[in-house]
Amino acid sequence: MKPDTFTELIRRKLESIRPDFTERDWARMQRSLHQAGLSGPPGGAGGMLTGQSWLLVAAGVGTAVLLTLAVWQRAEINDLRQKLAATAKAAPVPAKPADTVQAASQSPQSPQTRAADTVYITRYVPVQTMPATRQAATDQNRYTDTNTAENRSAETTDRSSVPGWINVPGYTSKKTPQSNNKDRNQRVATAPQKNLLTSEPDEMRMPESGVGKSSDNRGQDNRGQNAPADGPARQNAVSDRAVGPRGNDTRSTARPDRKSDVNTSVANARQTGTEAEAVEGATITNGSQQQRGAEGVLALLQPRQPGTIDWNARLARRFRRTVSVPAVSAPTQKPESQAVAHVATVFRLGVSTSLRARYWNTGLVAETVINGRWVLSAGLVRSSAVLGSFVTDEDYDYQTRRNFRREFAPGFDPKRDIYGIKVRSVRYQIPLSLGYRIPLGSSLALLPSVGAYLDLSNTMQIAFSYRRPYPRSGYDVLSFAENQPVTPLNAYTFGTALEWHQKHWVAQGGLLLARPLYSDLNGEVSSALGGRVRLLYQF
Amino acid sequence: MLFKQFFGYAKSICLRYTASAEEAEDVLNEGFLKAFQHLDRFDDSLPFKAWLRTILVNTAISHYRKNQRFEQHTSLENAEPVAVDINVVDQMAADDILGLVQQLTPTYRTVFMMHVVDGYSLHEVAELLGHNEATVRSTFARARYKLQDMIRLHHPAYVPAGATTKNAIL
């Protein structure tokens, strides 16, 4: 349609209008900017952040929950580790398999250290041996088989007498005749007479049948149980000392922190001892504690020369060792049962409803019970509120100090009266709460809690009546809904409830005090006391 | 300062699409708010006035749609063609004409302003308002007659009774 003169005149007249700027207009604009969260310069990012503030709140709450769970999980893991360590210390040592028993005999130790018997050779370093050593090696090869067999016999005997060790039923041990032990015991019994005559330490004296002399003696001694002078009887004697009349001898007790090679060296040093050395324990038993301590230190401080140890023989012996599947013996006693604290996280899901003042909400709620004490709950509820009923729009304006027509009916015919105004609010909210369970009985608990309501949406529902236009008579009802701006944090809540728990079902009921963070239609911020009921299913 | 510089221009647009100065201020603030929030989308190569005008008109249309529910209950009086002396219109003050425009129903006012002042075709007006084009044409004609009738009522001395003068227009 072509513009005619009339419309052209109207256009020119209307476009010529230029209202003047006043400070009141800018103040009004600033109020709008503040309400929208744009307090900074126009176009800044402040508004964007404020617009997504509910996302920030949700992210913050989620982060806090995850951090809490992480800290709690860490504490639980540490607690379980401590309990596991305590249980492992208190538990009895199970029967050792045959293979382990054989290896453990090389160093008579306490049960705890025998478990660490296995030595893994990762690198072999050939060492130029001395002539005396070669002679010893020759002799050693000669005696290897016999020595090994007898060693095993002695080991088995020793093991059977060590407290805490259990003979495996399927394991046939070659026990040394009792007479041998008796002989050794007799020798031990007679030894103090000789030893008392010489006050020098046993390790400083020469072995009766030692191969080397003087300084070579130690090297010879360190060659271990395979040396010619180290007969099986001598080994048995040494082993018997661990279980003999002086079973408390410090030298035969465990040194758990030492490596197996150290133990082996110490054992070798003892095995190369003379008859007098074999009975040194008796001497020490009768002697002072200082002497015993010094002797033990000397035994430990004997130079260990790796080159003098015949690793070939040891490796060969290890290969000859029959590898048998460890016989799993039945536990001699039932392991102790320990009550584990209730640390599981329990999840609940159910329905919730609450009523306070003019508000009523109902919806789904999920709860997480942490450690049986802390209760963290979240959900989605629909909250309805009757904000007010007014006779006319003038009544609304008078009571609320607002303008109904301008606020809700700007285009409505001003000549037409408005009656029976009802204003309702419908919000979808996330109720969050953190509670602490105080058990009152087997199925009853007290649950004080603090929480908050987060708004997801806010819709105002308005309904009013008006007189029908002429010539129609009577009244019509007009109802409509308007979306309102959403404030992320709606209200704080403080509540206490009684919780009844039966199998999988949990019922909660109690009081709820809500402190809103926004004003109602009258511009008032007032706390409201109400009740809350929840029915939950516990998984 | 952007707001101060374009306040008069923006306010005049808002006044044409609303029934009162208070309502116009609401639309004005909402429109400026949108402009500030989306200032990063403004193309510097285009004039800012045109961009701001588009925002304000769209804001006014949104405002119209929000209040449209009330209009169906208001009576749409049948307007008859009225002869108006063009000299009378020319002698009228702009504020008087604006006052008459603001007394139109929201639909009449919006359609008339979009087509006459802001240059939208009736087809575009129909699309923007979500109405049938024929309805919009009819509405525009009624709005025009209504405005002429209002001018005649407010200035009866200047309107020839028989509308037979050579300057009379329809």
Side-chain angles (χ1 to χ4, degrees):
Chain A
M1 187 176 287
K2 292 179 181 177
D4 51 30
T5 313
F6 173 73
T7 53
E8 184 63 22
L9 277 175
I10 296 295
R11 186 186 65 80
R12 276 196 276 120
K13 292 281 182 183
L14 290 177
E15 283 195 336
S16 65
I17 295 174
R18 283 291 182 273
D20 294 330
F21 172 79
T22 61
E23 288 301 321
R24 191 183 68 86
D25 296 321
W26 175 238
R28 184 185 168 93
M29 186 66 220
Q30 276 188 320
R31 279 201 301 274
S32 298
L33 292 173
H34 280 295
Q35 284 177 358
L38 273 176
S39 57
M48 302 297 286
L49 290 177
T50 309
Q52 298 175 351
S53 56
W54 68 273
L55 283 176
L56 294 176
V57 171
V61 170
T63 306
V65 169
L66 286 177
L67 284 175
T68 307
L69 285 176
V71 171
W72 167 78
Q73 196 174 28
R74 179 78 179 168
E76 288 300 319
I77 288 173
N78 288 337
D79 188 33
L80 286 175
R81 278 179 181 161
Q82 290 175 357
K83 286 178 181 175
L84 192 62
T87 307
K89 284 181 181 177
V93 179
K96 293 287 180 182
D99 190 36
T100 308
V101 170
Q102 286 179 356
S105 65
Q106 294 186 13
S107 58
Q109 297 169 357
S110 67
Q112 281 89 350
T113 53
R114 291 187 189 195
D117 154 77
T118 306
V119 177
Y120 295 95
I121 300 173
T122 58
R123 192 177 61 167
Y124 177 71
V125 181
V127 178
Q128 188 69 32
T129 55
M130 299 180 67
T133 311
R134 286 196 203 101
Q135 177 63 34
T138 309
D139 295 336
Q140 168 201 341
N141 292 334
R142 196 187 314 156
Y143 286 99
T144 298
D145 292 336
T146 310
N147 198 11
T148 304
E150 293 197 15
N151 275 344
R152 288 175 183 169
S153 302
E155 290 159 6
T156 308
T157 307
D158 294 345
R159 188 183 64 249
S160 63
S161 58
V162 172
W165 283 86
I166 301 164
N167 282 328
V168 180
Y171 178 75
T172 54
S173 61
K174 299 174 184 177
K175 287 191 175 183
T176 306
Q178 291 294 327
S179 58
N180 290 342
N181 288 336
K182 285 181 181 178
D183 294 342
R184 283 191 295 273
N185 290 337
Q186 286 172 0
R187 283 194 296 250
V188 168
T190 56
Q193 295 175 358
K194 280 197 278 182
N195 202 22
L196 285 173
L197 298 175
T198 59
S199 59
E200 60 181 310
D202 295 335
E203 272 71 8
M204 300 299 289
R205 284 184 271 117
M206 299 286 292
E208 288 180 0
S209 57
V211 177
K213 297 294 181 183
S214 186
S215 60
D216 292 337
N217 187 26
R218 285 185 183 174
Q220 188 68 26
D221 290 344
N222 285 338
R223 283 195 293 271
Q225 69 272 21
N226 296 329
D230 303 337
R234 215 173 292 277
Q235 289 183 3
N236 287 339
V238 174
S239 300
D240 285 344
R241 286 190 308 188
V243 295
R246 51 178 193 90
N248 294 331
D249 190 357
T250 55
R251 292 177 300 174
S252 61
T253 56
R255 292 182 180 91
D257 52 344
R258 295 209 172 269
K259 304 291 183 185
S260 57
D261 58 347
V262 176
N263 293 328
T264 307
S265 300
V266 174
N268 291 342
R270 289 174 183 167
Q271 287 167 357
T272 54
T274 59
E275 287 292 329
E277 185 189 3
V279 297
E280 67 179 291
T283 308
I284 291 172
T285 303
N286 296 329
S288 64
Q289 292 292 331
Q290 275 186 331
Q291 185 181 359
R292 179 166 39 177
E295 190 274 340
V297 170
L298 283 172
L300 286 173
L301 292 180
Q302 279 187 343
R304 294 184 292 277
Q305 301 174 2
T308 61
I309 298 173
D310 193 346
W311 294 106
N312 282 328
R314 292 193 176 191
L315 191 59
R317 193 182 65 182
R318 189 174 185 82
F319 286 154
R320 281 195 302 272
R321 188 191 298 170
T322 55
V323 179
S324 60
V325 177
V328 179
S329 62
T332 54
Q333 67 181 58
K334 190 177 179 181
E336 289 185 12
S337 63
Q338 186 176 13
V340 179
H342 186 240
V343 295
T345 301
V346 178
F347 294 97
R348 299 168 173 175
L349 185 65
V351 294
S352 168
T353 181
S354 70
L355 178 67
R356 57 184 167 91
R358 298 166 296 188
Y359 294 86
W360 176 65
N361 68 43
T362 180
L364 296 175
V365 67
E367 283 190 357
T368 304
V369 183
I370 302 168
N371 206 16
R373 293 286 185 181
W374 295 98
V375 180
L376 185 65
S377 76
L380 178 66
V381 298
R382 182 182 186 273
S383 176
S384 302
V386 179
L387 299 181
S389 297
F390 309 93
V391 180
T392 61
D393 53 338
E394 286 86 2
D395 183 33
Y396 176 92
D397 296 346
Y398 175 75
Q399 289 191 29
T400 63
R401 297 178 182 85
R402 299 164 114 177
N403 191 323
F404 180 81
R405 285 181 181 269
R406 186 176 172 188
E407 196 171 353
F408 297 114
F412 196 75
D413 189 355
K415 299 173 185 174
R416 212 157 283 165
D417 292 332
I418 293 176
Y419 307 100
I421 300 172
K422 289 181 180 177
V423 183
R424 290 162 51 85
S425 165
V426 176
R427 299 169 189 258
Y428 282 94
Q429 299 176 319
I430 296 177
L432 295 175
S433 71
L434 178 64
Y436 186 77
R437 278 180 85 248
I438 304 171
L440 300 178
S442 59
S443 61
L444 202 63
L446 187 66
L447 184 63
S449 63
V450 294
Y453 280 110
L454 303 181
D455 277 353
L456 294 178
S457 70
N458 181 17
T459 305
M460 195 83 82
Q461 293 182 344
I462 297 106
F464 62 84
S465 304
Y466 64 96
R467 188 184 294 275
R468 288 172 179 164
Y470 182 80
R472 300 162 61 198
S473 61
Y475 293 89
D476 273 341
V477 177
L478 181 62
S479 61
F480 55 93
E482 278 198 352
N483 290 327
Q484 299 290 315
V486 175
T487 54
L489 193 55
N490 181 284
Y492 292 117
T493 60
F494 306 92
T496 181
L498 273 178
E499 179 184 296
W500 177 76
H501 187 192
Q502 186 68 34
K503 292 184 179 177
H504 286 283
W505 292 100
V506 178
Q508 296 174 357
L511 298 175
L512 186 70
L513 178 67
R515 173 73 177 168
L517 298 178
Y518 61 93
S519 59
D520 56 11
L521 282 177
N522 297 325
E524 297 174 353
V525 179
S526 53
S527 301
L529 183 65
R532 182 174 66 188
V533 177
R534 284 180 174 177
L535 180 63
L536 304 155
Y537 182 83
Q538 180 169 307
F539 296 95
Chain B
M1 189 174 176
L2 218 58
F3 182 77
K4 186 174 182 179
Q5 185 179 351
F6 293 97
F7 174 79
Y9 175 73
K11 184 81 178 281
S12 69
I13 295 173
C14 296
L15 284 171
R16 295 198 299 260
Y17 283 92
T18 54
S20 63
E22 292 79 10
E23 200 177 339
E25 285 176 356
D26 290 342
V27 174
L28 176 76
N29 289 341
E30 192 178 343
F32 263 109
L33 193 61
K34 287 179 182 176
F36 289 152
Q37 285 178 334
H38 302 104
L39 206 57
D40 53 337
R41 299 183 190 175
F42 170 63
D43 187 359
D44 295 336
S45 61
L46 300 176
F48 181 77
K49 261 190 173 182
W51 186 68
L52 181 64
R53 181 187 190 121
T54 306
I55 289 178
L56 290 170
V57 170
N58 288 335
T59 306
I61 292 172
S62 299
H63 189 74
Y64 158 76
R65 282 177 176 165
K66 200 162 66 174
N67 302 325
Q68 196 182 11
R69 57 177 172 267
F70 303 112
E71 201 178 353
Q72 58 188 346
H73 302 284
T74 60
S75 60
L76 295 177
E77 302 166 11
N78 290 327
E80 298 294 334
V82 177
V84 178
D85 190 345
I86 193 171
N87 294 327
V88 174
V89 179
D90 196 20
Q91 291 172 10
M92 286 179 68
D95 289 338
D96 292 340
I97 292 178
L98 179 64
L100 294 177
V101 166
Q102 287 183 334
Q103 290 182 28
L104 291 171
T105 63
T107 302
Y108 284 178
R109 185 172 58 242
T110 304
V111 171
F112 189 81
M113 287 301 121
M114 287 181 73
H115 180 62
V116 171
V117 182
D118 292 312
Y120 290 94
S121 69
L122 291 176
H123 178 72
E124 290 172 333
V125 174
E127 282 188 346
L128 288 171
L129 297 182
H131 295 326
N132 191 349
E133 187 176 345
T135 306
V136 170
R137 285 181 183 277
S138 170
T139 303
F140 173 72
R142 288 168 183 268
R144 186 169 178 273
Y145 297 151
K146 180 68 178 174
L147 187 60
Q148 290 174 348
D149 188 39
M150 291 168 74
I151 291 174
R152 182 182 60 82
L153 289 175
H154 283 80
H155 303 277
Y158 299 98
V159 179
T164 55
T165 60
K166 63 177 182 182
N167 289 331
I169 58 170
L170 287 178

